[in-house]
Amino acid sequence: IYIDNLSSILSYYSYLIIGVDRDSFSPFGGEESFLRAQEIINTLGIGVIGDEGWKNDSGAKRNRYWYINNILHPRIRPYRQAFYEYHRVCLDKMTGDLEKARAILLSTLTSIGQVELDYPSTMLIQVFGDTKKDEIIEIFKIADRGSKNKVKTIMVGMDASKKEKYSVLN
């Protein structure tokens, strides 16, 4: 139920954060929270619908509407599965068998890269690249040349503007 713009923004981001957290602990665990965030968008007051942060006709497609639209889109499901594997299957097990965890991480990045190819310029993939780039670089700095090259290709494919950042993987 719409009360005011501030309440809607706070509620939206609360559900979004909870959903992302739940997706990292179980496959598609954040679905209910994402649907609630979408419901907030669907119940906005007339005066707020024109706000750039909520609009579904925004040219840049980088706002609250498009983020939740992306995360719930069926073409993004492989990303969400890979997001879970990235956190739960890979990072949580990194202290055990580093090489195995790195191989799993490469597999998850390949899946995410494929989502970018299938659904180009998706806000969700860009946010992933922005938030995980330093972590991924640190994990693969000491990997074999083939893995480094694959990671660099995948990550630059997600965001070519960060190409220089991945040059350390040469």
Side-chain angles (χ1 to χ4, degrees):
I1 298 173
Y2 177 75
I3 298 172
D4 59 39
N5 194 30
L6 179 59
S7 298
S8 296
I9 289 170
L10 294 174
S11 298
Y12 170 88
Y13 282 113
S14 296
Y15 284 120
L16 184 64
I17 291 166
I18 292 167
V20 170
D21 184 58
R22 288 181 175 168
D23 260 10
S24 74
F25 281 99
S26 66
F28 312 107
E31 192 77 12
E32 181 182 332
S33 297
F34 296 141
L35 289 170
R36 291 209 173 202
Q38 186 178 50
E39 185 180 324
I40 290 167
I41 292 171
N42 294 337
T43 60
L44 288 173
I46 298 296
V48 179
I49 293 174
D51 182 292
E52 287 297 318
W54 298 111
K55 286 172 79 170
N56 66 357
D57 62 353
S58 172
K61 295 189 177 185
R62 288 188 62 89
N63 63 19
R64 290 179 288 276
Y65 172 85
W66 287 108
Y67 192 87
I68 205 66
N69 180 278
N70 286 172
I71 211 162
L72 290 169
H73 198 286
R75 288 166 54 186
I76 299 295
R77 288 188 74 79
Y79 163 83
R80 290 181 60 197
Q81 178 65 38
F83 186 82
Y84 160 74
E85 291 170 4
Y86 178 96
H87 290 92
R88 194 77 181 135
V89 180
C90 175
L91 292 184
D92 284 358
K93 307 208 187 282
M94 190 68 69
T95 58
D97 186 347
L98 182 60
E99 290 306 314
K100 183 178 179 183
R102 195 178 285 129
I104 294 168
L105 179 55
L106 183 55
S107 173
T108 64
L109 292 177
T110 301
S111 296
I112 293 169
Q114 187 60 50
V115 171
E116 171 63 23
L117 292 173
D118 294 344
Y119 198 13
S121 301
T122 304
M123 181 182 175
L124 187 61
I125 304 299
Q126 293 169 354
V127 169
F128 175 84
D130 286 345
T131 58
K132 298 296 185 178
K133 69 183 170 308
D134 294 329
E135 183 174 79
I136 291 166
I137 288 169
E138 287 303 313
I139 291 169
F140 282 95
K141 267 186 180 176
I142 57 173
D144 62 88
R145 182 171 292 290
S147 294
K148 287 179 181 182
N149 288 336
K150 287 177 188 175
V151 168
K152 182 178 177 182
T153 300
I154 292 166
M155 297 306 291
V156 169
M158 287 184 212
D159 186 359
S161 70
K162 305 274 187 315
K163 185 176 184 178
E164 188 62 34
K165 185 82 173 166
Y166 294 102
S167 66
V168 299
L169 296 178
N170 286 336

